[in-house]
Amino acid sequence: MKFGIYLPSQIEDKKLPVIYWLSGLTCSEANFIEKSGAQRYAQEYGVVIVNPDTSPRGLNISGDKDNWDFGEGAGFYVDATEEPWKKNYNMFSYVTKELIEIISTNFNVIEGTQSIMGHSMGGHGALICALKNPGLYQSVSAFAPICNPSKCAWGRKAFEGYLGPQETSNWSDWDATELVKVYNGPPLCLFIDQGAADKFLQEEQLLPNNLVEACKIAKVPIILNKREGYDHSYFYISSFIGEHIKHHSGYLQK
Amino acid sequence: MKFGIYLPSQIEDKKLPVIYWLSGLTCSEANFIEKSGAQRYAQEYGVVIVNPDTSPRGLNISGDKDNWDFGEGAGFYVDATEEPWKKNYNMFSYVTKELIEIISTNFNVIEGTQSIMGHSMGGHGALICALKNPGLYQSVSAFAPICNPSKCAWGRKAFEGYLGPQETSNWSDWDATELVKVYNGPPLCLFIDQGAADKFLQEEQLLPNNLVEACKIAKVPIILNKREGYDHSYFYISSFIGEHIKHHSGYLQK
């Protein structure tokens, strides 16, 4: 598994907190490194940023390269239960356990002081990683996340493939809009960013209003920032990544 | 010919100055747009940025796709005199005349108030565009420019192909280190940026010291910023693009 890591210069003198970034469909670890412009903010706020790939690669599982929204580049941050995926497609465990251990063992970071954010499929990933592990992350944010995967085409396809049919498997364990309803842990505010001109919003792949409604009922605080005129691209991400890093930094450096 | 243009929001209310960016070998107009992070500085300083492609495309001239350092993606910002290039490979005239006219005709810019910068082959391009057109640009800067193309492998290959053999053609008309020696125009300070860990510096493709020596003799002011540890990549560019835009902005908004 490849990942990117940005180490600000302060790390030579002291341990720093970590923000994890989870990328969206079709991305490798390269997109965020090359296009987000996050580095200067990581330096400014003194945080390490770690960004893993979006799936295992090179396994040559039958069908893993046939779809841009399933298989390679589309691990969906779940632990698969279905064949032929369940042995390797365990992105949830990788991100929330193995990767954290690799980072704390090999870099000068403050163990246990970390936040998580992501984009689109990775926004979904960030939300479920935080909601399923109360207290593991100090804060969570997402750009244009897939908020209710059980109810959109991308999510249904992925869940069907990795988790099995909705009727016989527990999709709600992997769906942020369902998970907020049963969240039971330290206070956690969901910071959601959404471009108003995002075509995937219009195509109902993202469904942020479902998450907002669920948060209201569950009394989980949520901030939904609508950005007029912005689409789903890395240009949109690079425009607001500084705000997100600043947001997390407030939680990480108290 | 494709080009990128970034229009900061101020342009809705008033005419703005323009900075031209010339890219390096193998680039299209996309690299700068996606990787430089220049947009936020263009917005901050209120300047338009225009970045053309690095050569004509799609002509299917025999041999135009055989080399990454000659032909498509490698126009070298000269006006070719040799067959089969001379009809279309006129990047110098395109950048200094046609493109400027396209921009001033179609966008709300201050005509004649412009600067130029570039990277590697495009740094060479920026320098010769400024030196060969005294007064056309208010300022010029370059990241890791090919400073003395007549004396390096990339430049010699390109000049040989586009301009003909050194013995019988006027390479010095297209070489910044030669052009500073005969520069005769309004005061022009060359602002050069160079990563100290740039492998193409070590391979003597860039030769900034030759340009510095020529400037000393010709009494043309030059700033050479060496950046410890930086290479030739867009990560290096994105680290210092803000400084360059600020520099030009000082000349453009007096």
Side-chain angles (χ1 to χ4, degrees):
Chain A
M1 293 297 296
K2 283 192 190 175
F3 60 86
I5 183 163
Y6 181 79
L7 302 169
S9 61
Q10 299 92 314
I11 202 146
E12 290 170 23
D13 304 319
K14 60 176 180 178
K15 287 179 181 290
L16 296 179
V18 183
I19 305 176
Y20 290 87
W21 169 270
L22 304 183
S23 293
L25 288 166
T26 77
C27 287
S28 73
E29 79 291 347
N31 305 66
F32 181 78
I33 297 172
E34 295 173 357
K35 296 185 175 179
S36 73
Q39 292 89 345
R40 67 182 62 249
Y41 303 105
Q43 176 66 39
E44 182 177 347
Y45 293 103
V47 294
V48 171
I49 300 189
V50 174
N51 62 300
D53 201 349
T54 54
S55 77
R57 304 260 175 194
L59 297 168
N60 294 315
I61 296 172
S62 170
D64 67 2
K65 290 173 198 67
D66 295 351
N67 298 276
W68 62 268
D69 55 1
F70 188 79
E72 279 201 7
F76 254 87
Y77 305 102
V78 299
D79 285 347
T81 55
E82 299 299 291
E83 295 292 359
W85 312 104
K86 69 179 190 183
K87 184 178 173 204
N88 300 100
Y89 277 66
N90 295 298
M91 288 298 292
F92 178 75
S93 292
Y94 171 65
V95 167
T96 59
K97 297 192 186 85
E98 185 180 347
L99 184 59
I100 290 175
E101 197 173 310
I102 290 167
I103 299 304
S104 66
T105 307
N106 292 282
F107 299 95
N108 195 27
V109 302
I110 311 172
E111 216 171 318
T113 301
Q114 59 219 355
S115 293
I116 192 162
M117 59 184 179
H119 172 231
S120 196
M121 175 183 74
H124 144 75
L127 290 168
I128 67 169
C129 286
L131 290 165
K132 285 169 75 72
N133 293 284
L136 183 62
Y137 302 98
Q138 268 70 59
S139 51
V140 58
S141 77
F143 290 82
I146 299 170
C147 291
N148 195 180
S150 311
K151 299 243 166 104
C152 75
W154 281 340
R156 296 185 64 81
K157 179 176 178 178
F159 283 11
E160 184 97 22
Y162 295 130
L163 304 173
Q166 185 167 22
E167 297 70 31
T168 55
S169 47
N170 221 344
W171 287 15
S172 58
D173 278 357
W174 303 97
D175 184 321
T177 295
E178 298 301 322
L179 288 166
V180 290
K181 298 176 186 170
V182 296
Y183 179 75
N184 185 11
L188 183 71
C189 171
L190 312 184
F191 176 30
I192 310 292
D193 212 292
Q194 178 62 59
D198 182 335
K199 72 171 178 171
F200 301 116
L201 176 68
Q202 289 145 15
E203 291 173 7
E204 305 196 326
Q205 296 282 18
L206 308 176
L207 303 170
N209 293 337
N210 292 8
L211 180 61
V212 169
E213 283 308 306
C215 282
K216 270 188 202 163
I217 292 163
K219 309 226 186 302
V220 171
I222 185 166
I223 299 163
L224 175 61
N225 271 344
K226 282 275 187 103
R227 312 289 192 175
E228 285 305 318
Y230 283 87
D231 66 8
H232 200 72
S233 72
Y234 263 90
F235 296 117
Y236 153 62
I237 295 169
S238 71
S239 299
F240 301 108
I241 190 72
E243 280 188 36
H244 283 244
I245 292 170
K246 183 181 178 187
H247 172 83
H248 292 297
S249 179
Y251 287 88
L252 292 168
Q253 299 182 326
K254 275 189 287 204
Chain B
M1 293 297 296
K2 283 192 190 176
F3 61 86
I5 183 164
Y6 180 79
L7 301 169
S9 61
Q10 300 93 315
I11 202 149
E12 290 170 23
D13 303 319
K14 59 176 180 179
K15 287 179 182 289
L16 296 179
V18 183
I19 305 176
Y20 290 87
W21 169 271
L22 305 183
S23 293
L25 289 165
T26 77
C27 289
S28 74
E29 79 291 347
N31 305 66
F32 181 78
I33 296 172
E34 295 173 357
K35 296 185 175 180
S36 73
Q39 292 91 344
R40 66 182 63 248
Y41 303 104
Q43 175 66 39
E44 181 178 348
Y45 293 103
V47 294
V48 171
I49 300 188
V50 174
N51 63 301
D53 201 349
T54 55
S55 77
R57 304 259 174 195
L59 297 168
N60 294 315
I61 296 172
S62 171
D64 67 2
K65 290 174 198 66
D66 295 351
N67 298 275
W68 63 268
D69 55 0
F70 188 78
E72 279 200 7
F76 254 86
Y77 305 102
V78 299
D79 285 345
T81 55
E82 298 300 290
E83 295 291 358
W85 312 104
K86 69 179 190 182
K87 183 178 173 204
N88 299 102
Y89 277 66
N90 294 298
M91 288 298 292
F92 178 75
S93 291
Y94 171 65
V95 167
T96 59
K97 296 192 187 85
E98 185 181 347
L99 184 59
I100 290 176
E101 198 172 310
I102 289 167
I103 300 304
S104 65
T105 307
N106 292 282
F107 299 96
N108 195 26
V109 302
I110 310 172
E111 216 171 317
T113 301
Q114 58 218 356
S115 292
I116 192 162
M117 60 185 179
H119 172 232
S120 197
M121 174 184 74
H124 143 76
L127 291 168
I128 67 168
C129 286
L131 289 165
K132 286 168 75 71
N133 292 284
L136 183 62
Y137 302 98
Q138 268 70 61
S139 52
V140 59
S141 77
F143 290 82
I146 299 170
C147 291
N148 194 179
S150 312
K151 298 240 166 106
C152 76
W154 281 339
R156 296 186 62 83
K157 179 175 178 179
F159 282 12
E160 185 97 19
Y162 295 130
L163 304 173
Q166 185 167 24
E167 296 71 31
T168 54
S169 46
N170 220 344
W171 287 15
S172 59
D173 278 357
W174 302 98
D175 184 321
T177 296
E178 297 302 322
L179 288 166
V180 289
K181 296 177 186 170
V182 295
Y183 179 76
N184 186 11
L188 182 72
C189 171
L190 313 184
F191 176 30
I192 311 292
D193 212 292
Q194 178 61 59
D198 182 334
K199 72 172 177 168
F200 300 115
L201 176 69
Q202 289 145 16
E203 291 174 7
E204 306 197 324
Q205 295 280 19
L206 307 176
L207 303 170
N209 293 337
N210 292 9
L211 180 61
V212 169
E213 283 308 306
C215 283
K216 270 188 203 162
I217 292 163
K219 309 224 186 302
V220 171
I222 184 165
I223 299 163
L224 176 61
N225 272 345
K226 282 277 187 102
R227 312 289 192 175
E228 284 306 317
Y230 283 88
D231 65 8
H232 201 72
S233 72
Y234 263 90
F235 297 117
Y236 154 62
I237 294 169
S238 70
S239 299
F240 301 108
I241 191 73
E243 280 188 36
H244 283 244
I245 291 170
K246 183 181 178 186
H247 171 83
H248 291 297
S249 180
Y251 287 89
L252 292 169
Q253 298 183 326
K254 275 188 285 204

